[in-house]
Amino acid sequence: MTEKDSLLERHVIGIEATLRDAIAAINRLSGHESMTLFATDSDARVCGTITDGDIRRALLQGVGLDDSLQKAMHRQFLAADGKEMQYEVFAEARRKKIDLLPVLEDGKLCGMIDMRVQHAVLPIDAVLMAGGRGERLRPLTLNCPKPLLEVGGKPVIDYNVDELLANGVSNIFVTVNYLHEQIEEHFADTRFQGKVKCVLEPKRLGTIGSMSLIEGFTHDHVLLMNSDLLTTLNYEKLFLAHIESGADLTIATIPYTVSIPFAIIKSEGERVTGLSEKPTYNYFANAGVYLMKREVVGKIPKGEYLDAPDLIESLIAEGRHVSSFPIEGIWLDIGSPDDFRYANELMTSMGRTLNR
């Protein structure tokens, strides 16, 4: 029996069982597991859910320990479809404060999603760019690729992979070049369960050109991001904004403020028309994270050098819809030794997690 099968078995109870049986089954669950059971009929179809709270409420209403658990269970329960996950179901589960979401196929339990760990299930693929040489961080990157540098005791790329997995993104590609063998070995670990695939970039192809080498996209929308970012970007909000706007490509942005320590002259020719004393200008800068329709990826010439701004400019020139989405919270591009030191301090204080 696999670990997954054992987990499912612990949370399943026959519908003919009593409240006493349900209490015993819940007591057998480990302390970190959700206290939720799924009641199944003789055909192994899930008929309802029951928790320790449901049992307590039933006992207070006069239901006996030897009565059927059907007197306490919920027959109208929320479940995800194992054949076609829907992000709307996750949103509803969060609203209802459900901590364990059953995954059903033909009414039978095929999986469970711990809502305390997984934020969402997004119908997107993801690409992490990890081929750079990290020259500004030398000598740290002389023998270690930048994405594998440890920040707070954890490789920086793993923060992004873990957050994507927590959002239900299970088709992740990592484009590699410099010291690629180390990154390939890193993701060969069983912890990633084949959800992360490395794609070798045979030569420098720019910040987006290597996407043309990827085969195996399964969704209509693709997320592209630099692998060495630390961010609390809400991927679900980004996805929903992208869909609602109907954009062909959405750029995640960060606020950037420029303060000029001098008085700026306003003029018409040589004539001064005014002064602006130490002005401050606010902009939104490109955060290195893009969500695009899959058809946009098809516009990238295969094997040719291309930077993301060039693709974006071409889309705008064609009249395609390019949108922006502001990041709230943390965004840090680890590009310098000072950034690296600050990132270590930040992630150590946050307990090596970016989860909200």
Side-chain angles (χ1 to χ4, degrees):
M1 178 183 295
T2 66
E3 183 178 347
K4 175 185 175 182
D5 291 336
S6 176
L7 178 64
L8 292 177
E9 186 177 83
R10 291 200 299 273
H11 286 268
V12 169
I13 189 169
I15 198 170
E16 73 285 350
T18 65
L19 287 186
R20 189 186 303 275
D21 297 327
I23 292 173
I26 289 175
N27 283 340
R28 288 192 293 269
L29 296 175
S30 64
H32 65 272
E33 290 184 69
S34 169
M35 302 289 107
T36 301
L37 299 176
F38 303 105
T40 59
D41 62 18
S42 57
D43 294 322
R45 296 180 183 276
V46 179
C47 303
T49 64
I50 186 167
T51 67
D52 54 343
D54 296 327
I55 293 172
R56 288 196 300 271
R57 285 185 287 272
L59 293 175
L60 288 173
Q61 293 170 5
V63 179
L65 285 173
D66 294 316
D67 287 339
S68 170
L69 61 77
Q70 297 181 53
K71 293 186 177 181
M73 77 178 190
H74 290 280
R75 294 184 181 274
Q76 300 298 321
F77 60 93
L78 191 65
D81 187 340
K83 295 180 180 178
E84 184 179 359
M85 287 285 187
Q86 295 180 319
Y87 58 88
E88 297 95 336
V89 175
F90 265 72
E92 181 66 15
R94 285 199 303 273
R95 284 194 292 270
K96 293 184 175 180
K97 301 187 183 304
I98 293 171
D99 60 6
L100 195 63
L101 183 67
V103 181
L104 307 182
E105 285 191 14
D106 300 322
K108 298 181 180 180
L109 189 68
C110 64
M112 299 179 300
I113 298 171
D114 189 341
M115 294 292 296
R116 299 167 299 179
V117 175
Q118 188 164 333
H119 310 317
V121 55
L122 300 179
I124 63 175
D125 299 316
V127 179
L128 296 176
M129 311 293 278
R133 302 179 69 87
E135 293 180 350
R136 288 184 295 161
L137 282 171
R138 288 184 175 181
L140 294 174
T141 53
L142 285 174
N143 299 303
C144 178
K146 183 178 175 182
L148 294 187
L149 290 178
E150 291 199 353
V151 172
K154 178 178 177 178
V156 61
I157 193 172
D158 284 6
Y159 287 101
N160 295 309
V161 170
D162 287 344
E163 189 67 9
L164 289 169
L165 292 174
N167 277 275
V169 181
S170 59
N171 196 31
I172 302 171
F173 299 90
V174 178
T175 61
V176 296
N177 180 276
Y178 177 65
L179 299 178
H180 61 89
E181 299 90 349
Q182 293 185 36
I183 300 176
E184 290 165 346
E185 182 179 358
H186 178 73
F187 286 113
D189 191 292
T190 55
R191 181 173 83 85
F192 299 103
Q193 302 174 348
K195 296 177 180 179
V196 180
K197 310 166 191 69
C198 291
V199 177
L200 179 61
E201 186 181 25
K203 61 181 181 179
R204 290 183 66 248
L205 294 175
T207 56
I208 203 169
S210 62
M211 286 189 76
S212 67
L213 306 176
I214 297 174
E215 297 179 355
F217 289 130
T218 58
H219 293 95
D220 294 331
H221 301 272
V222 182
L223 178 82
L224 170 69
M225 67 182 295
N226 297 332
S227 66
D228 52 5
L229 299 177
L230 287 177
T231 178
T232 52
L233 166 65
N234 188 310
Y235 293 102
E236 183 179 31
K237 287 184 178 179
L238 168 64
F239 173 76
L240 293 175
H242 174 74
I243 295 299
E244 184 177 351
S245 69
D248 295 290
L249 184 145
T250 298
I251 308 169
T253 62
I254 55 167
Y256 190 79
T257 300
V258 178
S259 297
I260 300 178
F262 309 105
I264 299 301
I265 293 175
K266 300 177 182 179
S267 63
E268 295 178 359
E270 87 289 347
R271 182 179 180 181
V272 176
T273 60
L275 293 175
S276 180
E277 185 68 29
K278 298 180 180 180
T280 296
Y281 299 99
N282 297 307
Y283 302 95
F284 281 100
N286 184 346
V289 182
Y290 314 93
L291 184 59
M292 67 195 76
K293 291 180 179 178
R294 184 172 164 184
E295 64 188 67
V296 171
V297 180
K299 299 176 71 65
I300 301 173
K302 189 162 187 176
E304 296 183 18
Y305 186 99
L306 183 67
D307 285 328
D310 296 324
L311 175 65
I312 293 168
E313 290 285 358
S314 70
L315 292 174
I316 295 171
E318 292 175 8
R320 306 289 288 270
H321 186 166
V322 176
S323 182
S324 66
F325 178 84
I327 294 176
E328 298 177 355
I330 295 171
W331 181 89
L332 178 62
D333 176 15
I334 306 174
S336 69
D338 286 342
D339 293 332
F340 183 68
R341 284 190 290 271
Y342 174 67
N344 268 286
E345 295 170 0
L346 179 66
M347 299 320 299
T348 299
S349 67
M350 292 181 64
R352 297 194 305 175
T353 179
L354 286 168
N355 293 351
R356 290 161 296 282

